[in-house]
Amino acid sequence: MAALIDAIDVKRKMYFEFENTPYYCLDVEVSTPTARGGQTLVRLKMRNLLTRAVFDKTFKAGEKFKEPDLETVEASYLYSDGDASHFMDQESFEQIELTPEKLGDAQLFLTEGMIIKIDKFNGNPIGIQLPEKVELKVAYTEPGARGNTASGAVTKHARLETGLEVKVPFFVEEGETVKIYTETREFAGRA
């Protein structure tokens, strides 16, 4: 049987199962009452790993959670069609399909052959983990004009090969490959 975790022991970046659903803890706030006999409460900011929804919920310190049956496998991105995105498990070479709902906007960072991690709950794929940075080619951007820096406008919009739109420094040109932070969608440098 899986080990049980007390609500008071849940920490940031920890995984736990609540109502047969896996969650990821984003933040924890413990409030200890000053009155005698008052109960210690634990407020968790948590992400549902199946729906990607984020919300706060308060639990009593003694409430227990199961450890989720989570597994992470390395896979390479193959292609996307109208119904799903297709990946290949790097160990078993089995093909894994993920629907657009499970991928969310992660699709905007995927390029053919990219190695990512797929999260599985009870053996079924539920989502992916992207690397911290990805390299993408600039498909379109306006040319940077000299002297544009006086107004403080040192960035311009760029559309990348996957359709992702970001702000890049004015010296970046079409056809260049740039590094983008996947969490913040910010320019990280030239590749």
Side-chain angles (χ1 to χ4, degrees):
M1 185 173 151
L4 294 177
I5 307 162
D6 284 336
I8 194 89
D9 294 329
V10 174
K11 305 287 183 241
R12 281 185 75 225
K13 298 184 178 181
M14 199 170 169
Y15 294 94
F16 61 95
E17 190 174 321
F18 173 64
E19 296 177 343
N20 297 321
T21 305
Y23 286 90
Y24 177 72
C25 179
L26 299 166
D27 201 14
V28 180
E29 197 177 298
V30 177
S31 51
T32 313
T34 52
R36 295 174 103 194
Q39 283 193 319
T40 301
L41 299 174
V42 181
R43 186 170 186 211
L44 299 177
K45 183 174 187 176
M46 48 203 238
R47 170 176 281 133
N48 180 323
L49 293 177
L50 301 179
T51 65
R52 297 287 184 224
V54 174
F55 58 92
D56 290 351
K57 187 153 176 67
T58 304
F59 299 95
K60 293 176 184 167
E63 284 189 59
K64 298 191 181 304
F65 304 113
K66 287 197 310 192
E67 276 190 42
D69 178 16
L70 286 175
E71 175 190 9
T72 303
V73 296
E74 276 200 347
S76 61
Y77 173 66
L78 299 174
Y79 66 94
S80 291
D81 55 29
D83 302 326
S85 292
H86 303 267
F87 301 86
M88 182 170 51
D89 186 314
Q90 292 299 93
E91 282 187 26
S92 67
F93 302 110
E94 124 192 38
Q95 242 189 34
I96 301 169
E97 291 182 10
L98 283 170
T99 61
E101 295 80 39
K102 289 182 181 170
L103 273 182
D105 61 0
Q107 179 72 44
L108 294 171
F109 296 99
L110 296 174
T111 56
E112 194 174 311
M114 174 188 275
I115 303 293
I116 51 98
K117 291 184 168 132
I118 295 183
D119 294 324
K120 290 183 172 186
F121 176 62
N122 293 337
N124 300 316
I126 59 170
I128 69 171
Q129 294 176 26
L130 292 168
E132 181 187 2
K133 296 180 212 165
V134 294
E135 293 183 6
L136 297 170
K137 193 170 273 182
V138 176
Y140 170 80
T141 189
E142 296 166 7
R146 284 205 179 275
N148 245 1
T149 57
S151 66
V154 292
T155 62
K156 60 184 178 178
H157 287 283
R159 187 173 58 251
L160 306 179
E161 62 184 306
T162 60
L164 178 66
E165 296 201 5
V166 295
K167 287 190 173 195
V168 295
F170 75 98
F171 56 80
V172 173
E173 297 182 17
E174 242 174 70
E176 275 190 73
T177 302
V178 294
K179 292 180 187 171
I180 302 295
Y181 288 109
T182 54
E183 200 166 308
T184 61
R185 297 179 175 212
E186 292 175 351
F187 177 79
R190 286 176 161 158

